[in-house]
Structures are given as structure tokens and as C-alpha cells.
Amino acid sequence: MGYFLYLYWPSLSRLIPSAGPVGGGNVVELTGANLSTALLVHFGDAIAFPTAVSEGQLLVTAPPVAGPGTVPVYVTTTGGVSNRLLYTHAAAPSVTGVSPGTGPIAGGTTLVVTGTGLSQVTAVTVGGLPAVSFRAYSDTLLLVVTPPGTPGPADLVITTAGGSVTVAGGFGYQAPTQTAVSSAPDPSVVGEVTATVTAVAPGTGTPTGTVTLAIAGRTPRPCPWSTAGPARCSAPCRRAPTSPPATTTAT
């Protein structure tokens, strides 16, 4: 006399992760119920052979597919076919622009990153350190807040479900500077003013912008930075010998 065994219908409740690269190869965890007799896991038209961990858990290696897109995932067991959950095959990310390109070593700069395949971002580092925060607004737009860093160029690494992309030297950390005002001879005598920027730390790059020099009682004079030799600028601001002593400022 034979025996007949009834098996419960399988069901799925979650996929971890719910997205992966087009090339496959990543391990996906399927949770649910009545999964121990699983035979196949279907990723759309592609199939994979699972490992049953328990009645409520399967592990499977995602198969490669022809291109990015979202497909239904379901399980075939001895007891039947499960419900379907959605899984996304994500394209590898690319970066076409990062703005601004520089910011303070204290961090806190918001970077606007443009490119493709950015919507499934899972991690961002700047100079090897995790970003303070990041958010993808679309597949082509990502905002990143930089962490504190050291002066000089830093690599920007963006990791998504589809892979990762490295922008070598994509962001430059700049140390704050101090503006020292000096003159030779004394400005109260001649008034030839030179403003020199001294970097707090090395590797901060060439100063940009314009310094405004002023001797009290005289019209302020703009002065662009000189790229020759030390970072400095100067402008003639002479006072008459009969004028009272004057103070000098640079802003």
C-alpha cells in the first residue's frame, strides 16, 4: 500500500537585496514559508538553483541577464509555485560631472553629482571616508555631503546595486587661509600695501578671487592674486606726508 504526502504551497515575503548587477553573481536571500523543497528560483526568464537553509529561507546566486530592468522572482518547489516579488537588475553607474570641485577640509560641502545609473546608490565615500549623507533624486542626479578631510585631491567612490565607479581626484579639500597685511616701508609713510595669503596647511592650491586693499581715508582698491612666486597681491595706496597715521586692512 502506497503513501501520498501533501506539501504546503510555498510563499515569498522578501528579497534581500532586491536589486543587483546585470552580470549577476551576487547572493540573494529569499524569505517566506514552505521553501525547503525548492527546486528552482526564477528571475524573469532566467533560472537559478537555490540552497534551502530552512523552511523559511533560501539562498541563491542571481543569474546574469542581457540588460537592466525589473523582473518577477518566484520559486518552484515540490509543493507548487510561489507568489512573485520584484527584483531589479541595475546598470553599472557612471559619473559625468561633480560640482563644486573643491571645498573646506571641515567637510559639509554639498556635491551635485551627475551621471547614469545613480538611483540605486548604496554607499558613497570621499577620500576613503563615508559621506555624511547622500540621496539620489533620479537615475542621473545624486547629492552628496562631504565628510571632513585632509588638504588635497580626494577620490569620489559611488557604489550602487549595479556596481561602483571611482572618480579619481573628483573633489579637492582646501584648508582655510589667513590674510596677513604687510608693507615695506611702513604704510603710514609710503602706503605701498601688500596682502599675502598664508595657508594653514600645505597642498591647498592657488588662492582665487580678489583682495580689496584699503588705507584709512583712501578709496579701497581691488587687487587680483599673483600666480608668480608666493600667493600675494599688492596695490599702490599712498598717503601724503602731512596726513595723519593710517591703518591698513585687507578683505
Side-chain angles (χ1 to χ4, degrees):
M1 184 174 182
Y3 294 91
F4 188 81
L5 179 65
Y6 287 97
L7 296 176
Y8 289 103
W9 206 266
S11 65
L12 293 177
S13 59
R14 191 177 181 189
L15 302 178
I16 308 171
S18 60
V22 170
N26 58 301
V27 176
V28 179
E29 176 187 357
L30 295 80
T31 60
N34 309 316
L35 302 176
S36 63
T37 61
L39 302 173
L40 295 173
V41 176
H42 302 258
F43 288 77
D45 294 331
I47 61 171
F49 298 95
T51 297
V53 179
S54 67
E55 283 287 349
Q57 182 185 32
L58 298 177
L59 296 178
V60 65
T61 299
V65 294
T70 299
V71 297
V73 172
Y74 57 98
V75 178
T76 298
T77 72
T78 305
V81 178
S82 74
N83 59 303
R84 302 185 176 201
L85 299 178
L86 296 180
Y87 180 87
T88 299
H89 295 284
S94 67
V95 173
T96 57
V98 179
S99 180
T102 60
I105 58 174
T109 302
T110 299
L111 305 181
V112 179
V113 181
T114 55
T116 60
L118 303 177
S119 63
Q120 296 281 344
V121 61
T122 57
V124 178
T125 62
V126 184
L129 297 175
V132 173
S133 64
F134 58 86
R135 181 178 178 182
Y137 284 85
S138 69
D139 199 55
T140 60
L141 178 63
L142 171 68
L143 296 188
V144 177
V145 177
T146 62
T150 57
D155 292 349
L156 175 65
V157 180
I158 298 171
T159 302
T160 74
S164 65
V165 59
T166 298
V167 183
F171 181 74
Y173 282 105
Q174 292 185 323
T177 56
Q178 296 176 340
T179 303
V181 181
S182 62
S183 177
D186 187 270
S188 64
V189 177
V190 179
E192 184 77 19
V193 181
T194 300
T196 303
V197 168
T198 304
V200 173
T204 58
T206 302
T208 59
T210 301
V211 169
T212 300
L213 302 178
I215 290 182
R218 302 295 301 274
T219 302
R221 304 186 62 150
C223 174
W225 294 111
S226 168
T227 57
R232 64 176 56 194
C233 71
S234 62
C237 293
R238 300 178 182 276
R239 63 178 290 276
T242 57
S243 300
T247 57
T248 305
T249 61
T251 57

